[in-house]
Amino acid sequence: MPYFIDAILPIPVEKAFTYSITEAEAKFLQAGMRVAVPFGKSKVYAALVKNIHTTPPTLYEAKEIEHILDEKPIVTQKQFELWSWMASYYMCTEGEVMRASLPSAFLLESETIIRLQPEVVLQDEDLQDDEFLIYEALQHQSVIKIQEVMDILGKRKVLPTIKKLLDKGAISVQEEVYEQYKPKLVTFVQLHSHYKEEKAFVALLDSLSRAPKQRELLLAFFSLKAKTNKPITTLALQKAANATATQVKTLVAKGIFETYEKRKDRVEFEGETSGTKTLNEHQVEALAQVKESFETQNVCLLHGVTASGKTEIYVSIIEELLHTGKQILYLLPEIALTTQLISRLQNYFGEKVAVFHSKYSVHERVEVWNNVLQNASKAQIIIGARSAMLLPFYELELIVVDEEHESSFKQYDPAPRYHARDAAVVLGHLFKAKVILGSATPSVETVYNARHGKYGYVYLGHRHGNILMPEINLVDIKEKQRKREMTGHFSDTLLRAITDALQLGEQVILFQNRRGFSPVLECKTCGHAPQCPNCDVSLTYHKYRNQLRCHYCGHHIAMQLKCMACGSPDLTTKGFGTEQIEAELKELYPEYSIARMDSDTTRGKYGFEKIITAFEQEEIDILVGTQMLTKGLDFRNVTLVGILNADSMLNFPDFRAHERSYQLIAQVSGRAGRTEKQGKVLVQTYNPYHQILQQVSANKFDAMYEEQLQERHDFKYPPFYRLVRITLRHRDYQKIEESSIWVAKALRQALGRDAVLGPETPPVARIRNQYRRNVLIKINRRQNLKQIKGLIARVQTSFKAIPQYRSVRLIIDVDCY
Ligand code: ADP
Ligand code: ZN
Ligand code: ZN
């Protein structure tokens, strides 16, 4: 009887592919294991076995698999279920979800790159013919692709040869699929069993009387042993005895010490845990309400004002669930910004916490993956940003989505363009797990779901310690300009408040939602402003680097001294960013320490951490930053928050702009006065009567919600309508014009005139030399979503079949943001 598998390939093809396997393979294989499979004329991929069966495909002849890559499944059945939902809901393929889910070390394809390991030199006679050919090719070329190896050897089955070269250490592959994952090993040292008896030991010490260093090592070992009862690493011993590795080795060679190795997972907590905090009365009440809501509902919104101590409530719930041994997923908007929270959780839960970090190396990610898959106790609580929800959970009991309103939960590019909060609700459902969505400024959609009985709702309106909410005052800068009460971008009111805070030894946060020095450099003579050659935007002036930079593609040129159009030296800057604010502050407060936190100053794995720690330790007096400052940071000594200009946020052309401005201002304000004293917030604006500013300064969340909801209703936006955005991209202007008109027309025919808007030119019409057009589809909540997506997919298929549009990229974004 013939046997087959259906396999998911990590590419955007709609259906799983069927491959044939032998009976023995069928016995061995399980769903969730990887196999190397041929694809197309000459490609090879690591594909995932979805199921094993005996039905041959009807439309093509099944190819054989090349070989099996795993001994055990690396993907779970629940993941397959989630992928299938994501692919269908977000209109992408399971292969794309697979690619987003698996650490790249698990993906292998013909594009995988091989390079020489220069430390290892092999002689001709060490190599078989095929191996020699590859080795030889790599002497002339620093890297080759597996694809090219196939050409060199004139055959397709090259993976075994590559594997042999890898085993010999001669080459490395970029994605390291063949390299067995190696956990980092730590060497420990112990006394040889001969000397465990006291008598033997004393004799040993005596015998070493003429080798003082060795004696010292031995004594150091004992004093370490006495201090901690834990195994001693050779490194610790070396340090304690001030000895070298060779000196330790000598004692091992003499049979006095023995060494042994243990695997150490890189992502590991070292230190002592502390007890959790006792909840205050409001938290106790809120916790009881959350638990009560979980009796009838699976999802609960915890709406707690800033510094109300939501984290402590999550912690209490987690604590109560730990004994079950099931897993808990804690999702955060941006992991790099949340080192504070991670150390808080690690303090409570120690080694049970695993962090899944996008900046981790491939190895570290594989490690977390395997720990989660095996339900290892060191990965019972998994903290991560949106992609952490794609890990291979064994059994999930609780999902916390912290700062659920954050837009970074939504993935823009590439597919799957999922919203991790929404997908987490589905994930929770698959596991029958409970989900808590927490925020001080929950999104309109989530509040709507809570008010309409879909989710539970718990409100926590008191800050911990009953500290008052910060006092928010609006400063009319039009008025201030008229009265000449501005110094640079600062009103006298703001400057006075800064001075007062600094004099009391308190810290200040200043928020400006733009980085760089100034977004536009303009010629006073002819009005020309330097543009990015690749994108339709002006270049931003970065004074520190003396450059003009594009924030969309990274293109940069040296700062110009003369106008590029007319040659006039009379240039002026318009608008301002964090860099300019920092520069002005340094002039105004030369005796204070001023730092800036934006994506220019926080590159690198620990970029944020350094600034956050320095601010925490009060080495910085004033911190200027972009919206990075809003993400749940908890500083004890900040009493003043200044927002330099609220208007650019409010005027952003987006139906969420008002909601977002409220959230941003409320969140950044929430950094003020978190421990003792009531905080103070000053918002500079040209529009002090703007509804949103009035609402946020009076802390009127409900009024904001009601008004926004009404607008969403009137203008057909979520939660009443679902939005699907189709974006077209192409290098050729004419082609993008025509094709977008075609798509809009076809969609109107399929879905009706009113359901389709556009084509529209987005605010930045060209990025990286690609022109863009958007077509927006609005789907009434009451309509059958599946059916409409089917119609959209059909338009997509017809579009792709038009020869002259084949090179136009069509991107579908469901629930676009
Ligand atoms: P939120 O996430 O709601 O903004 P946090 O959880 O960060 O608030 O809490 C704000 C501050 O109050 C933190 O410094 C936290 O340690 C402290 N805090 C909150 N609840 C308690 C409690 N029950 N006992 C002691 N300190 C608390
Ligand atoms: Zn000019
Ligand atoms: Zn650009």
Side-chain angles (χ1 to χ4, degrees):
M1 177 142 63
Y3 287 90
F4 301 94
I5 55 163
D6 292 336
I8 306 178
L9 275 63
I11 47 173
V13 289
E14 234 160 88
K15 298 213 172 71
F17 277 82
T18 305
Y19 289 90
S20 80
I21 49 173
T22 65
E23 187 175 346
E25 285 168 339
K27 283 213 177 97
F28 180 79
L29 278 173
Q30 297 171 47
M33 290 192 199
R34 286 171 309 149
V35 287
V37 297
F39 183 76
K41 275 211 188 86
S42 57
K43 288 207 164 104
V44 176
Y45 284 102
L48 268 177
V49 178
K50 203 177 173 191
N51 54 310
I52 301 150
H53 57 88
T54 53
T55 323
T58 46
L59 296 177
Y60 53 94
E61 184 158 1
K63 292 182 185 170
E64 287 169 21
I65 66 166
E66 297 210 335
H67 59 234
I68 297 174
L69 289 164
D70 294 310
E71 284 165 20
K72 277 185 279 182
I74 59 156
V75 165
T76 67
Q77 209 51 46
K78 283 278 192 298
Q79 280 179 296
F80 282 128
E81 286 176 50
L82 179 71
W83 294 5
S84 153
W85 176 82
M86 284 176 73
S88 132
Y89 187 85
Y90 291 108
M91 299 190 73
C92 62
T93 69
E94 289 183 9
E96 286 170 318
V97 187
M98 167 184 171
R99 184 174 274 281
S101 302
L102 294 189
S104 61
F106 287 151
L107 297 166
L108 162 91
E109 54 199 43
S110 16
E111 297 297 302
T112 302
I113 285 168
I114 299 169
R115 56 180 92 233
L116 213 55
Q117 286 291 89
E119 327 60 277
V120 179
V121 180
L122 294 180
Q123 304 306 320
D124 293 359
E125 56 270 22
D126 299 334
L127 298 164
Q128 287 169 355
D129 289 354
D130 281 355
E131 295 168 34
F132 177 77
L133 286 174
I134 301 173
Y135 193 67
E136 181 66 14
L138 278 169
Q139 307 290 338
H140 304 296
Q141 233 174 310
S142 61
V143 299
I144 50 179
K145 289 183 183 169
I146 290 186
Q147 183 69 56
E148 295 167 296
V149 173
M150 295 176 187
D151 297 340
I152 293 168
L153 301 185
K155 62 177 183 185
R156 276 242 328 280
K157 290 207 174 182
V158 302
L159 300 182
T161 313
I162 291 170
K163 187 169 163 23
K164 276 186 212 144
L165 281 171
L166 277 166
D167 291 344
K168 289 179 181 166
I171 59 169
S172 63
V173 296
Q174 189 191 38
E175 305 199 323
E176 295 169 311
V177 181
Y178 289 98
E179 187 193 37
Q180 263 292 311
Y181 157 66
K182 287 195 196 80
K184 213 185 213 167
L185 292 176
V186 178
T187 318
F188 291 89
V189 54
Q190 63 186 23
L191 198 62
H192 195 283
S193 50
H194 298 326
Y195 302 107
K196 293 247 159 91
E197 301 252 321
E198 198 180 318
K199 250 209 239 145
F201 180 67
V202 173
L204 173 65
L205 268 187
D206 286 345
S207 76
L208 291 178
S209 59
R210 262 174 296 156
K213 193 74 216 178
Q214 294 180 11
R215 217 182 125 99
E216 199 185 318
L217 261 168
L218 210 58
L219 291 171
F221 177 82
F222 267 86
S223 78
L224 273 179
K225 195 90 200 153
K227 253 189 263 165
T228 71
N229 207 15
K230 289 185 191 153
I232 295 164
T233 65
T234 39
L235 267 182
L237 178 60
Q238 276 167 236
K239 240 199 219 154
N242 203 3
T244 63
T246 323
Q247 287 165 334
V248 177
K249 272 192 198 143
T250 312
L251 283 178
V252 174
K254 281 187 155 182
I256 295 171
F257 280 143
E258 285 176 331
T259 55
Y260 59 100
E261 290 186 328
K262 263 178 140 178
R263 55 179 282 184
K264 167 197 160 98
D265 292 306
R266 292 168 192 79
V267 197
E268 172 174 290
F269 172 74
E270 281 165 6
E272 303 285 315
T273 55
S274 66
T276 51
K277 297 196 167 84
T278 315
L279 297 186
N280 65 43
E281 51 177 322
H282 308 292
Q283 290 168 330
V284 169
E285 172 72 22
L287 175 65
Q289 288 176 10
V290 172
K291 285 202 251 173
E292 194 189 315
S293 106
F294 280 159
E295 280 168 22
T296 52
Q297 231 131 4
N298 293 325
V299 184
C300 181
L301 167 60
L302 174 60
H303 180 182
V305 297
T306 52
S308 56
K310 293 180 287 297
T311 318
E312 305 305 327
I313 295 180
Y314 308 144
V315 165
S316 297
I317 297 176
I318 293 172
E319 217 179 4
E320 285 180 28
L321 294 175
L322 276 180
H323 70 275
T324 62
K326 294 184 187 173
Q327 292 165 320
I328 291 151
L329 170 63
Y330 195 123
L331 286 178
L332 292 163
E334 261 161 277
I335 199 100
L337 291 165
T338 37
T339 48
Q340 281 187 329
L341 183 106
I342 292 168
S343 39
R344 263 165 93 180
L345 293 180
Q346 284 181 327
N347 273 327
Y348 294 147
F349 302 116
E351 285 201 332
K352 291 198 163 69
V353 176
V355 182
F356 190 64
H357 197 308
S358 62
K359 286 187 185 170
Y360 277 163
S361 69
V362 170
H363 276 321
E364 288 166 323
R365 287 199 221 189
V366 170
E367 205 156 87
V368 177
W369 183 279
N370 287 337
N371 284 338
V372 173
L373 183 66
Q374 289 151 15
N375 197 22
S377 69
K378 70 177 103 179
Q380 197 183 345
I381 303 167
I382 299 108
I383 310 181
R386 63 170 181 255
S387 62
M389 62 157 294
L390 300 171
L391 285 166
F393 299 102
Y394 180 83
E395 200 159 15
L396 262 178
E397 173 150 48
L398 175 73
I399 304 176
V400 176
V401 184
D402 198 4
E403 312 289 353
E404 71 83 34
H405 64 279
E406 277 282 339
S407 55
S408 57
F409 280 122
K410 169 77 177 166
Q411 167 142 327
Y412 292 85
D413 224 13
R417 296 179 174 80
Y418 63 109
H419 197 300
R421 173 198 61 213
D422 301 344
V425 170
V426 174
L427 179 67
H429 190 73
L430 288 177
F431 279 99
K432 300 193 168 45
K434 299 294 179 192
V435 181
I436 304 185
L437 309 177
S439 175
T441 51
S443 63
V444 168
E445 285 90 332
T446 300
V447 176
Y448 182 84
N449 282 332
R451 300 254 160 113
H452 287 77
K454 207 170 151 192
Y455 299 164
Y457 179 78
V458 175
Y459 182 70
L460 181 57
H462 297 264
R463 290 193 140 189
H464 175 65
N466 285 320
I467 301 162
L468 292 175
M469 291 301 286
E471 180 194 335
I472 304 182
N473 286 306
L474 306 174
V475 181
D476 182 345
I477 41 180
K478 206 194 293 169
E479 177 81 5
K480 293 281 177 193
Q481 275 170 348
R482 204 174 50 77
K483 293 190 184 157
R484 301 187 182 280
E485 287 170 349
M486 296 290 288
T487 310
H489 293 93
F490 293 87
S491 60
D492 58 342
T493 319
L494 182 53
L495 284 180
R496 220 174 306 124
I498 295 176
T499 308
D500 287 351
L502 293 176
Q503 275 172 357
L504 290 172
E506 297 163 353
Q507 290 168 292
V508 178
I509 284 180
L510 294 176
F511 171 77
Q512 167 57 17
N513 211 15
R514 242 183 183 144
R515 63 196 169 94
F517 191 82
S518 62
V520 182
L521 178 75
E522 205 178 85
C523 169
K524 277 189 169 170
T525 311
C526 76
H528 172 82
Q531 302 285 308
C532 175
N534 311 318
C535 313
D536 284 348
V537 288
S538 310
L539 296 173
T540 298
Y541 173 38
H542 285 242
K543 190 170 189 174
Y544 173 70
R545 301 194 207 190
N546 201 31
Q547 278 178 342
L548 295 171
R549 300 186 72 89
C550 171
H551 286 182
Y552 286 85
C553 73
H555 174 86
H556 52 88
I557 54 174
M559 174 61 182
Q560 307 290 303
L561 297 173
K562 286 186 201 153
C563 171
M564 291 158 88
C566 73
S568 157
D570 204 5
L571 303 175
T572 176
T573 55
K574 279 195 169 167
F576 63 104
T578 45
E579 208 184 305
Q580 190 165 158
I581 296 305
E582 185 194 17
E584 287 180 13
L585 280 170
K586 284 187 169 159
E587 296 257 307
L588 289 163
Y589 297 101
E591 65 280 29
Y592 289 96
S593 152
I594 293 150
R596 172 161 59 96
M597 187 161 96
D598 55 31
S599 53
D600 296 323
T601 60
T602 51
R603 298 208 173 156
K605 197 163 174 174
Y606 300 108
F608 297 99
E609 220 165 313
K610 275 191 208 139
I611 298 178
I612 290 171
T613 309
F615 196 56
E616 233 165 24
Q617 294 176 346
E618 303 182 22
E619 289 159 19
I620 297 169
D621 300 305
I622 309 178
L623 185 60
V624 185
T626 55
Q627 82 272 8
M628 283 181 184
L629 289 172
T630 60
K631 324 253 159 162
L633 296 171
D634 187 35
F635 301 111
R636 305 189 62 78
N637 193 34
V638 174
T639 53
L640 175 68
V641 165
I643 295 174
L644 283 136
N645 181 333
D647 304 318
S648 60
M649 306 182 251
L650 287 166
N651 298 332
F652 200 75
D654 182 304
F655 74 94
R656 284 184 218 274
H658 287 177
E659 178 193 2
R660 285 231 181 101
S661 304
Y662 186 102
Q663 290 166 338
L664 220 57
I665 297 171
Q667 290 287 351
V668 70
S669 302
R671 304 312 113 205
R674 291 172 74 84
T675 42
E676 281 164 26
K677 203 169 140 184
Q678 183 187 17
K680 189 174 171 138
V681 181
L682 291 172
V683 181
Q684 299 192 146
T685 173
Y686 288 95
N687 277 303
Y689 298 103
H690 196 292
Q691 202 57 12
I692 286 288
L693 297 181
Q694 292 290 327
Q695 287 159 349
V696 74
S697 59
N699 197 19
K700 287 187 172 161
F701 182 88
D702 286 353
M704 183 279 291
Y705 167 76
E706 294 297 343
E707 188 174 324
Q708 292 306 309
L709 196 70
Q710 189 60 47
E711 288 193 6
R712 303 279 189 96
H713 179 269
D714 296 348
F715 298 101
K716 300 188 174 172
Y717 281 112
F720 305 99
Y721 282 74
R722 290 178 195 276
L723 301 183
V724 177
R725 185 173 51 220
I726 313 272
T727 302
L728 297 152
R729 289 192 204 159
H730 199 268
R731 295 180 74 88
D732 185 285
Y733 184 82
Q734 200 57 36
K735 205 161 252 189
I736 205 77
E737 284 278 303
E738 286 170 20
S739 60
S740 57
I741 291 170
W742 189 97
V743 167
K745 199 172 151 204
L747 285 170
R748 280 200 177 91
Q749 265 162 15
L751 307 173
R753 292 202 62 78
D754 296 343
V756 183
L757 297 177
E760 286 173 342
T761 309
V764 181
R766 185 180 52 125
I767 297 177
R768 293 174 195 274
N769 280 317
Q770 300 267 334
Y771 290 97
R772 291 159 180 245
R773 289 292 182 277
N774 290 335
V775 178
L776 195 64
I777 302 164
K778 290 185 171 178
I779 305 168
N780 192 318
R781 277 269 163 185
R782 287 188 291 267
Q783 280 172 289
N784 181 337
L785 188 64
K786 257 223 157 91
Q787 187 194 345
I788 291 186
K789 282 181 188 162
L791 294 170
I792 298 172
R794 219 185 290 165
V795 169
Q796 182 188 21
T797 311
S798 324
F799 181 74
K800 281 188 180 158
I802 302 172
Q804 69 267 34
Y805 296 154
R806 274 202 27 206
S807 56
V808 177
R809 266 198 79 192
L810 184 151
I811 294 155
I812 302 179
D813 189 349
V814 178
D815 294 346
C816 55
Y817 248 60

